[in-house]
Amino acid sequence: MREKEFAILVSDKKCCNYDPLEELKQLTKTAGAETIDCLRFDFSHPTANLFIGIGQAEKLRDLCVKKNANLIIFDRELSPVQQRNLEEITQVKVIDRTQLILDIFAQHASSREGELQVELAQANYMLTRLTGKGTELSQLAGGIGTLGPGETKLEYDRRKIRKHITLLNNRLKKISLHRELQRKKRKENMVALVVLIGYTNSGKTTLINRIASSNFAQGDKLFLTLDSVMRKIDVGNNQKAILVDTVGFIRGLPHQLIASFKSTLEEVNYADILVHVIDSSSMDIEGNYKVVTDILKELNVSDKPTVTVLNKEDKLTTGEKRQLQRIFPEGIFISAANGNNIEKLKAKLSQILETKREIAKFSIPFDKMNIVSIIHEQGNIIKEEFTDSGIKIKAEIPRELSGKLAEYQTKK
Ligand SMILES: Nc1nc2c(ncn2[C@@H]2O[C@H](COP(=O)(O)OP(=O)(O)OP(=O)(O)O)[C@@H](O)[C@H]2O)c(=O)[nH]1
Ligand SMILES: [Mg+2]
């Protein structure tokens, strides 16, 4: 959204604890528009032409005039036909939830990769829109086998967008290769990967900032983080890990975005541990939880060791905590904002990583001091002794590293 927009929001009826209007208001605010009124309709029987009924569309038109609105935002994906018909009746620009989310992503993309991913999602969205228009235009063209003027232009537009999509995909592939190299290097160093995932605004960035003393942008906005940023951390007991912050999830996350952000989200595939950050002060904790676990299923990573974190515990009463603990018996209450229980979370991570470690003994010649440094860097030294032939070390180190250093291992 470029110039100031005054929006009327249209959503479905409230369902259980989830209030679609509240989330839509937040999305609208994040996109930079001002909500001036809201309407709730029953979305269970959408019509092909308008999505809502004609009477409801007229009500919407009257409200736009009365409130001087210049934008209508629908909390659903509209077909191009529905969108155009609604614009014709109301004489106001109409956008749907997908466009709104794409718009926010476009505004927040800061890295080259993020920008390309959003552009790709937008191009794919546009392509589906053109297909819709095509059906309509070919009807206008009438005659069997004849190409209407609109259609020829349409083919041209489609070809242009497809070409652009190929270009974007190629550029993204290059960045992805670089990412792959970094990943390989990390794997060689055998540092564990701990990935934060969760609903948008649950406090993932606040948590990474808290644990890693970093300074990434956090705030009461949706989709503030789009890039998978990472920091090295020590979870205690000299166990190092890389902590990764990722893009937040939301209901109805446009599939074009999931597809475009696949390479960023790939970190999730390589994670040793996932930390699912839940906003425990949200109105619909279980609904949000399900949205996240469903996307994880889609990404094929449901079987990863997962630590559930109930963040923003500072906002809860003792009674609310008790109730939540019943729903998430393994959940750890923390406050990323004030640092409460962060040590408990680190201890849990350390405990999981511990199962990937073992105690081993090595005898390392003096000309392999680099190996001694690796053991020091990643392990806990239990005993170290200088002998005539080299250095003898007893240490607790990652199993994988121990296997790699097998030729230097000794029994005593
Ligand atoms: N009261 C309270 N607020 C918190 C806590 N943790 C985070 N917040 C607030 O929640 C809001 C969202 O925090 P972020 O860390 O940006 O959330 P995120 O999950 O990274 O959000 P996206 O990147 O947009 O997906 C901010 O206003 C934080 O100050 C907490 O423990 N307690
Ligand atoms: Mg964030």
Side-chain angles (χ1 to χ4, degrees), residues 229-259:
V229 293
M230 46 188 80
R231 278 287 179 273
K232 201 166 182 181
I233 58 162
D234 191 333
V235 291
N237 205 14
N238 200 25
Q239 290 186 77
K240 307 277 189 315
I242 304 269
L243 188 62
V244 186
D245 188 12
T246 57
V247 59
F249 300 151
I250 199 169
R251 277 169 186 73
L253 194 61
H255 60 90
Q256 296 94 339
L257 276 174
I258 300 186

PDB file of all heavy atoms in Angstrom, residues 229-259:
ATOM      1  N   VAL A 229      17.798 -15.806  10.169  1.00  0.00           N
ATOM      2  CA  VAL A 229      19.084 -15.356  10.726  1.00  0.00           C
ATOM      3  C   VAL A 229      19.544 -16.331  11.794  1.00  0.00           C
ATOM      4  O   VAL A 229      18.730 -17.051  12.376  1.00  0.00           O
ATOM      5  CB  VAL A 229      18.975 -13.934  11.322  1.00  0.00           C
ATOM      6  CG1 VAL A 229      18.736 -12.925  10.235  1.00  0.00           C
ATOM      7  CG2 VAL A 229      17.893 -13.876  12.370  1.00  0.00           C
ATOM      8  N   MET A 230      20.861 -16.390  12.024  1.00  0.00           N
ATOM      9  CA  MET A 230      21.359 -17.354  13.011  1.00  0.00           C
ATOM     10  C   MET A 230      22.482 -16.794  13.861  1.00  0.00           C
ATOM     11  O   MET A 230      23.159 -15.859  13.468  1.00  0.00           O
ATOM     12  CB  MET A 230      21.799 -18.632  12.319  1.00  0.00           C
ATOM     13  CG  MET A 230      22.651 -18.460  11.093  1.00  0.00           C
ATOM     14  SD  MET A 230      22.903 -20.034  10.271  1.00  0.00           S
ATOM     15  CE  MET A 230      21.363 -20.226   9.358  1.00  0.00           C
ATOM     16  N   ARG A 231      22.631 -17.367  15.028  1.00  0.00           N
ATOM     17  CA  ARG A 231      23.671 -16.969  15.970  1.00  0.00           C
ATOM     18  C   ARG A 231      24.215 -18.201  16.679  1.00  0.00           C
ATOM     19  O   ARG A 231      23.459 -19.133  16.962  1.00  0.00           O
ATOM     20  CB  ARG A 231      23.095 -16.030  17.045  1.00  0.00           C
ATOM     21  CG  ARG A 231      22.985 -14.605  16.632  1.00  0.00           C
ATOM     22  CD  ARG A 231      24.346 -13.936  16.563  1.00  0.00           C
ATOM     23  NE  ARG A 231      24.274 -12.547  16.140  1.00  0.00           N
ATOM     24  CZ  ARG A 231      24.283 -12.139  14.887  1.00  0.00           C
ATOM     25  NH1 ARG A 231      24.352 -13.010  13.915  1.00  0.00           N
ATOM     26  NH2 ARG A 231      24.226 -10.855  14.580  1.00  0.00           N
ATOM     27  N   LYS A 232      25.500 -18.159  16.985  1.00  0.00           N
ATOM     28  CA  LYS A 232      26.096 -19.264  17.734  1.00  0.00           C
ATOM     29  C   LYS A 232      25.769 -19.072  19.217  1.00  0.00           C
ATOM     30  O   LYS A 232      25.847 -17.946  19.723  1.00  0.00           O
ATOM     31  CB  LYS A 232      27.614 -19.230  17.520  1.00  0.00           C
ATOM     32  CG  LYS A 232      28.264 -20.541  17.801  1.00  0.00           C
ATOM     33  CD  LYS A 232      29.676 -20.533  17.251  1.00  0.00           C
ATOM     34  CE  LYS A 232      30.322 -21.871  17.479  1.00  0.00           C
ATOM     35  NZ  LYS A 232      31.682 -21.922  17.006  1.00  0.00           N
ATOM     36  N   ILE A 233      25.376 -20.136  19.885  1.00  0.00           N
ATOM     37  CA  ILE A 233      25.081 -20.015  21.319  1.00  0.00           C
ATOM     38  C   ILE A 233      25.760 -21.146  22.096  1.00  0.00           C
ATOM     39  O   ILE A 233      26.169 -22.157  21.522  1.00  0.00           O
ATOM     40  CB  ILE A 233      23.559 -20.052  21.609  1.00  0.00           C
ATOM     41  CG1 ILE A 233      22.927 -21.352  21.078  1.00  0.00           C
ATOM     42  CG2 ILE A 233      22.854 -18.842  21.050  1.00  0.00           C
ATOM     43  CD1 ILE A 233      21.581 -21.658  21.676  1.00  0.00           C
ATOM     44  N   ASP A 234      25.831 -20.955  23.402  1.00  0.00           N
ATOM     45  CA  ASP A 234      26.359 -21.985  24.282  1.00  0.00           C
ATOM     46  C   ASP A 234      25.189 -22.377  25.176  1.00  0.00           C
ATOM     47  O   ASP A 234      24.661 -21.539  25.905  1.00  0.00           O
ATOM     48  CB  ASP A 234      27.509 -21.380  25.106  1.00  0.00           C
ATOM     49  CG  ASP A 234      28.279 -22.452  25.840  1.00  0.00           C
ATOM     50  OD1 ASP A 234      27.665 -23.496  26.139  1.00  0.00           O
ATOM     51  OD2 ASP A 234      29.469 -22.241  26.112  1.00  0.00           O
ATOM     52  N   VAL A 235      24.738 -23.637  25.070  1.00  0.00           N
ATOM     53  CA  VAL A 235      23.562 -24.010  25.871  1.00  0.00           C
ATOM     54  C   VAL A 235      23.978 -24.481  27.269  1.00  0.00           C
ATOM     55  O   VAL A 235      23.160 -24.968  28.037  1.00  0.00           O
ATOM     56  CB  VAL A 235      22.687 -25.082  25.182  1.00  0.00           C
ATOM     57  CG1 VAL A 235      22.002 -24.520  23.970  1.00  0.00           C
ATOM     58  CG2 VAL A 235      23.493 -26.321  24.829  1.00  0.00           C
ATOM     59  N   GLY A 236      25.234 -24.318  27.590  1.00  0.00           N
ATOM     60  CA  GLY A 236      25.735 -24.738  28.897  1.00  0.00           C
ATOM     61  C   GLY A 236      26.564 -25.988  28.721  1.00  0.00           C
ATOM     62  O   GLY A 236      26.461 -26.685  27.698  1.00  0.00           O
ATOM     63  N   ASN A 237      27.421 -26.278  29.708  1.00  0.00           N
ATOM     64  CA  ASN A 237      28.221 -27.487  29.650  1.00  0.00           C
ATOM     65  C   ASN A 237      29.135 -27.503  28.419  1.00  0.00           C
ATOM     66  O   ASN A 237      29.396 -28.560  27.841  1.00  0.00           O
ATOM     67  CB  ASN A 237      27.280 -28.697  29.634  1.00  0.00           C
ATOM     68  CG  ASN A 237      27.958 -29.931  30.177  1.00  0.00           C
ATOM     69  OD1 ASN A 237      29.009 -29.816  30.794  1.00  0.00           O
ATOM     70  ND2 ASN A 237      27.380 -31.090  29.917  1.00  0.00           N
ATOM     71  N   ASN A 238      29.515 -26.338  27.977  1.00  0.00           N
ATOM     72  CA  ASN A 238      30.335 -26.153  26.768  1.00  0.00           C
ATOM     73  C   ASN A 238      29.756 -26.820  25.515  1.00  0.00           C
ATOM     74  O   ASN A 238      30.477 -27.305  24.662  1.00  0.00           O
ATOM     75  CB  ASN A 238      31.775 -26.632  27.004  1.00  0.00           C
ATOM     76  CG  ASN A 238      32.725 -26.008  25.984  1.00  0.00           C
ATOM     77  OD1 ASN A 238      32.433 -24.935  25.455  1.00  0.00           O
ATOM     78  ND2 ASN A 238      33.809 -26.683  25.682  1.00  0.00           N
ATOM     79  N   GLN A 239      28.434 -26.874  25.448  1.00  0.00           N
ATOM     80  CA  GLN A 239      27.812 -27.415  24.230  1.00  0.00           C
ATOM     81  C   GLN A 239      27.379 -26.246  23.358  1.00  0.00           C
ATOM     82  O   GLN A 239      26.511 -25.467  23.737  1.00  0.00           O
ATOM     83  CB  GLN A 239      26.598 -28.254  24.606  1.00  0.00           C
ATOM     84  CG  GLN A 239      26.969 -29.530  25.285  1.00  0.00           C
ATOM     85  CD  GLN A 239      25.748 -30.373  25.505  1.00  0.00           C
ATOM     86  OE1 GLN A 239      25.252 -31.002  24.597  1.00  0.00           O
ATOM     87  NE2 GLN A 239      25.257 -30.360  26.720  1.00  0.00           N
ATOM     88  N   LYS A 240      27.994 -26.202  22.196  1.00  0.00           N
ATOM     89  CA  LYS A 240      27.681 -25.097  21.280  1.00  0.00           C
ATOM     90  C   LYS A 240      26.545 -25.519  20.353  1.00  0.00           C
ATOM     91  O   LYS A 240      26.378 -26.696  20.054  1.00  0.00           O
ATOM     92  CB  LYS A 240      28.899 -24.741  20.415  1.00  0.00           C
ATOM     93  CG  LYS A 240      30.167 -24.454  21.195  1.00  0.00           C
ATOM     94  CD  LYS A 240      30.173 -23.034  21.669  1.00  0.00           C
ATOM     95  CE  LYS A 240      31.503 -22.602  22.278  1.00  0.00           C
ATOM     96  NZ  LYS A 240      32.140 -23.532  23.203  1.00  0.00           N
ATOM     97  N   ALA A 241      25.791 -24.546  19.904  1.00  0.00           N
ATOM     98  CA  ALA A 241      24.764 -24.819  18.902  1.00  0.00           C
ATOM     99  C   ALA A 241      24.569 -23.557  18.082  1.00  0.00           C
ATOM    100  O   ALA A 241      24.982 -22.473  18.489  1.00  0.00           O
ATOM    101  CB  ALA A 241      23.462 -25.208  19.574  1.00  0.00           C
ATOM    102  N   ILE A 242      23.966 -23.726  16.913  1.00  0.00           N
ATOM    103  CA  ILE A 242      23.576 -22.553  16.128  1.00  0.00           C
ATOM    104  C   ILE A 242      22.076 -22.396  16.324  1.00  0.00           C
ATOM    105  O   ILE A 242      21.312 -23.344  16.099  1.00  0.00           O
ATOM    106  CB  ILE A 242      23.862 -22.758  14.623  1.00  0.00           C
ATOM    107  CG1 ILE A 242      25.317 -23.108  14.378  1.00  0.00           C
ATOM    108  CG2 ILE A 242      23.404 -21.562  13.819  1.00  0.00           C
ATOM    109  CD1 ILE A 242      26.243 -21.976  14.127  1.00  0.00           C
ATOM    110  N   LEU A 243      21.666 -21.204  16.754  1.00  0.00           N
ATOM    111  CA  LEU A 243      20.238 -20.937  16.951  1.00  0.00           C
ATOM    112  C   LEU A 243      19.730 -20.145  15.747  1.00  0.00           C
ATOM    113  O   LEU A 243      20.338 -19.152  15.351  1.00  0.00           O
ATOM    114  CB  LEU A 243      20.050 -20.142  18.247  1.00  0.00           C
ATOM    115  CG  LEU A 243      18.624 -19.925  18.725  1.00  0.00           C
ATOM    116  CD1 LEU A 243      17.926 -21.248  19.025  1.00  0.00           C
ATOM    117  CD2 LEU A 243      18.601 -19.043  19.985  1.00  0.00           C
ATOM    118  N   VAL A 244      18.630 -20.604  15.157  1.00  0.00           N
ATOM    119  CA  VAL A 244      18.122 -19.976  13.934  1.00  0.00           C
ATOM    120  C   VAL A 244      16.723 -19.408  14.165  1.00  0.00           C
ATOM    121  O   VAL A 244      15.858 -20.072  14.735  1.00  0.00           O
ATOM    122  CB  VAL A 244      18.023 -21.022  12.784  1.00  0.00           C
ATOM    123  CG1 VAL A 244      17.650 -20.345  11.479  1.00  0.00           C
ATOM    124  CG2 VAL A 244      19.325 -21.778  12.627  1.00  0.00           C
ATOM    125  N   ASP A 245      16.515 -18.173  13.719  1.00  0.00           N
ATOM    126  CA  ASP A 245      15.191 -17.548  13.780  1.00  0.00           C
ATOM    127  C   ASP A 245      14.569 -17.675  12.390  1.00  0.00           C
ATOM    128  O   ASP A 245      15.265 -17.551  11.383  1.00  0.00           O
ATOM    129  CB  ASP A 245      15.374 -16.065  14.144  1.00  0.00           C
ATOM    130  CG  ASP A 245      14.053 -15.365  14.428  1.00  0.00           C
ATOM    131  OD1 ASP A 245      13.029 -16.056  14.561  1.00  0.00           O
ATOM    132  OD2 ASP A 245      14.060 -14.120  14.520  1.00  0.00           O
ATOM    133  N   THR A 246      13.281 -17.952  12.320  1.00  0.00           N
ATOM    134  CA  THR A 246      12.664 -18.145  10.995  1.00  0.00           C
ATOM    135  C   THR A 246      11.419 -17.279  10.821  1.00  0.00           C
ATOM    136  O   THR A 246      10.925 -16.689  11.781  1.00  0.00           O
ATOM    137  CB  THR A 246      12.229 -19.615  10.788  1.00  0.00           C
ATOM    138  OG1 THR A 246      11.344 -19.962  11.848  1.00  0.00           O
ATOM    139  CG2 THR A 246      13.410 -20.556  10.772  1.00  0.00           C
ATOM    140  N   VAL A 247      10.918 -17.257   9.611  1.00  0.00           N
ATOM    141  CA  VAL A 247       9.688 -16.515   9.295  1.00  0.00           C
ATOM    142  C   VAL A 247       8.523 -17.137  10.085  1.00  0.00           C
ATOM    143  O   VAL A 247       8.463 -18.349  10.276  1.00  0.00           O
ATOM    144  CB  VAL A 247       9.431 -16.561   7.770  1.00  0.00           C
ATOM    145  CG1 VAL A 247       9.289 -17.969   7.258  1.00  0.00           C
ATOM    146  CG2 VAL A 247       8.205 -15.751   7.381  1.00  0.00           C
ATOM    147  N   GLY A 248       7.613 -16.293  10.587  1.00  0.00           N
ATOM    148  CA  GLY A 248       6.477 -16.794  11.362  1.00  0.00           C
ATOM    149  C   GLY A 248       5.399 -17.377  10.467  1.00  0.00           C
ATOM    150  O   GLY A 248       5.334 -17.079   9.275  1.00  0.00           O
ATOM    151  N   PHE A 249       4.554 -18.216  11.044  1.00  0.00           N
ATOM    152  CA  PHE A 249       3.447 -18.795  10.278  1.00  0.00           C
ATOM    153  C   PHE A 249       2.133 -18.108  10.653  1.00  0.00           C
ATOM    154  O   PHE A 249       2.050 -17.438  11.678  1.00  0.00           O
ATOM    155  CB  PHE A 249       3.330 -20.295  10.572  1.00  0.00           C
ATOM    156  CG  PHE A 249       4.572 -21.082  10.229  1.00  0.00           C
ATOM    157  CD1 PHE A 249       4.892 -22.247  10.925  1.00  0.00           C
ATOM    158  CD2 PHE A 249       5.418 -20.678   9.217  1.00  0.00           C
ATOM    159  CE1 PHE A 249       6.030 -22.977  10.618  1.00  0.00           C
ATOM    160  CE2 PHE A 249       6.557 -21.398   8.894  1.00  0.00           C
ATOM    161  CZ  PHE A 249       6.867 -22.548   9.596  1.00  0.00           C
ATOM    162  N   ILE A 250       1.126 -18.307   9.827  1.00  0.00           N
ATOM    163  CA  ILE A 250      -0.195 -17.718  10.093  1.00  0.00           C
ATOM    164  C   ILE A 250      -1.243 -18.569   9.400  1.00  0.00           C
ATOM    165  O   ILE A 250      -0.916 -19.326   8.475  1.00  0.00           O
ATOM    166  CB  ILE A 250      -0.244 -16.242   9.593  1.00  0.00           C
ATOM    167  CG1 ILE A 250      -1.387 -15.481  10.264  1.00  0.00           C
ATOM    168  CG2 ILE A 250      -0.368 -16.169   8.078  1.00  0.00           C
ATOM    169  CD1 ILE A 250      -1.347 -13.972  10.047  1.00  0.00           C
ATOM    170  N   ARG A 251      -2.497 -18.441   9.824  1.00  0.00           N
ATOM    171  CA  ARG A 251      -3.588 -19.140   9.135  1.00  0.00           C
ATOM    172  C   ARG A 251      -3.625 -18.694   7.675  1.00  0.00           C
ATOM    173  O   ARG A 251      -3.455 -17.495   7.399  1.00  0.00           O
ATOM    174  CB  ARG A 251      -4.940 -18.754   9.744  1.00  0.00           C
ATOM    175  CG  ARG A 251      -5.284 -19.529  10.954  1.00  0.00           C
ATOM    176  CD  ARG A 251      -6.472 -18.916  11.633  1.00  0.00           C
ATOM    177  NE  ARG A 251      -6.697 -19.592  12.888  1.00  0.00           N
ATOM    178  CZ  ARG A 251      -5.945 -19.449  13.954  1.00  0.00           C
ATOM    179  NH1 ARG A 251      -4.895 -18.638  13.922  1.00  0.00           N
ATOM    180  NH2 ARG A 251      -6.218 -20.115  15.060  1.00  0.00           N
ATOM    181  N   GLY A 252      -3.886 -19.635   6.794  1.00  0.00           N
ATOM    182  CA  GLY A 252      -4.054 -19.280   5.384  1.00  0.00           C
ATOM    183  C   GLY A 252      -2.822 -18.607   4.804  1.00  0.00           C
ATOM    184  O   GLY A 252      -2.943 -17.682   4.005  1.00  0.00           O
ATOM    185  N   LEU A 253      -1.636 -19.037   5.221  1.00  0.00           N
ATOM    186  CA  LEU A 253      -0.409 -18.485   4.632  1.00  0.00           C
ATOM    187  C   LEU A 253      -0.436 -18.810   3.138  1.00  0.00           C
ATOM    188  O   LEU A 253      -0.539 -19.970   2.768  1.00  0.00           O
ATOM    189  CB  LEU A 253       0.812 -19.128   5.296  1.00  0.00           C
ATOM    190  CG  LEU A 253       2.169 -18.484   5.065  1.00  0.00           C
ATOM    191  CD1 LEU A 253       2.204 -17.053   5.601  1.00  0.00           C
ATOM    192  CD2 LEU A 253       3.277 -19.283   5.721  1.00  0.00           C
ATOM    193  N   PRO A 254      -0.391 -17.789   2.279  1.00  0.00           N
ATOM    194  CA  PRO A 254      -0.520 -18.065   0.847  1.00  0.00           C
ATOM    195  C   PRO A 254       0.480 -19.131   0.386  1.00  0.00           C
ATOM    196  O   PRO A 254       1.657 -19.056   0.741  1.00  0.00           O
ATOM    197  CB  PRO A 254      -0.190 -16.720   0.202  1.00  0.00           C
ATOM    198  CG  PRO A 254      -0.492 -15.717   1.255  1.00  0.00           C
ATOM    199  CD  PRO A 254      -0.208 -16.377   2.563  1.00  0.00           C
ATOM    200  N   HIS A 255      -0.027 -20.120  -0.359  1.00  0.00           N
ATOM    201  CA  HIS A 255       0.854 -21.225  -0.741  1.00  0.00           C
ATOM    202  C   HIS A 255       2.002 -20.760  -1.630  1.00  0.00           C
ATOM    203  O   HIS A 255       3.072 -21.340  -1.636  1.00  0.00           O
ATOM    204  CB  HIS A 255       0.068 -22.372  -1.382  1.00  0.00           C
ATOM    205  CG  HIS A 255      -0.665 -21.959  -2.605  1.00  0.00           C
ATOM    206  ND1 HIS A 255      -0.095 -22.034  -3.832  1.00  0.00           N
ATOM    207  CD2 HIS A 255      -1.895 -21.424  -2.778  1.00  0.00           C
ATOM    208  CE1 HIS A 255      -0.970 -21.565  -4.716  1.00  0.00           C
ATOM    209  NE2 HIS A 255      -2.060 -21.189  -4.100  1.00  0.00           N
ATOM    210  N   GLN A 256       1.769 -19.640  -2.344  1.00  0.00           N
ATOM    211  CA  GLN A 256       2.872 -19.094  -3.160  1.00  0.00           C
ATOM    212  C   GLN A 256       4.041 -18.701  -2.257  1.00  0.00           C
ATOM    213  O   GLN A 256       5.201 -18.836  -2.622  1.00  0.00           O
ATOM    214  CB  GLN A 256       2.430 -17.825  -3.920  1.00  0.00           C
ATOM    215  CG  GLN A 256       1.353 -18.028  -4.944  1.00  0.00           C
ATOM    216  CD  GLN A 256      -0.037 -17.756  -4.355  1.00  0.00           C
ATOM    217  OE1 GLN A 256      -0.227 -17.797  -3.162  1.00  0.00           O
ATOM    218  NE2 GLN A 256      -0.991 -17.501  -5.212  1.00  0.00           N
ATOM    219  N   LEU A 257       3.695 -18.198  -1.049  1.00  0.00           N
ATOM    220  CA  LEU A 257       4.759 -17.774  -0.137  1.00  0.00           C
ATOM    221  C   LEU A 257       5.502 -18.969   0.445  1.00  0.00           C
ATOM    222  O   LEU A 257       6.719 -18.965   0.541  1.00  0.00           O
ATOM    223  CB  LEU A 257       4.176 -16.931   1.000  1.00  0.00           C
ATOM    224  CG  LEU A 257       3.999 -15.460   0.670  1.00  0.00           C
ATOM    225  CD1 LEU A 257       3.288 -14.727   1.780  1.00  0.00           C
ATOM    226  CD2 LEU A 257       5.341 -14.797   0.413  1.00  0.00           C
ATOM    227  N   ILE A 258       4.742 -20.005   0.815  1.00  0.00           N
ATOM    228  CA  ILE A 258       5.406 -21.202   1.359  1.00  0.00           C
ATOM    229  C   ILE A 258       6.366 -21.751   0.306  1.00  0.00           C
ATOM    230  O   ILE A 258       7.506 -22.085   0.599  1.00  0.00           O
ATOM    231  CB  ILE A 258       4.388 -22.283   1.773  1.00  0.00           C
ATOM    232  CG1 ILE A 258       3.456 -21.726   2.863  1.00  0.00           C
ATOM    233  CG2 ILE A 258       5.102 -23.534   2.298  1.00  0.00           C
ATOM    234  CD1 ILE A 258       2.501 -22.715   3.457  1.00  0.00           C
ATOM    235  N   ALA A 259       5.899 -21.792  -0.950  1.00  0.00           N
ATOM    236  CA  ALA A 259       6.740 -22.318  -2.026  1.00  0.00           C
ATOM    237  C   ALA A 259       7.981 -21.451  -2.208  1.00  0.00           C
ATOM    238  O   ALA A 259       9.099 -21.950  -2.292  1.00  0.00           O
ATOM    239  CB  ALA A 259       5.947 -22.392  -3.322  1.00  0.00           C
TER     240      ALA A 259
END
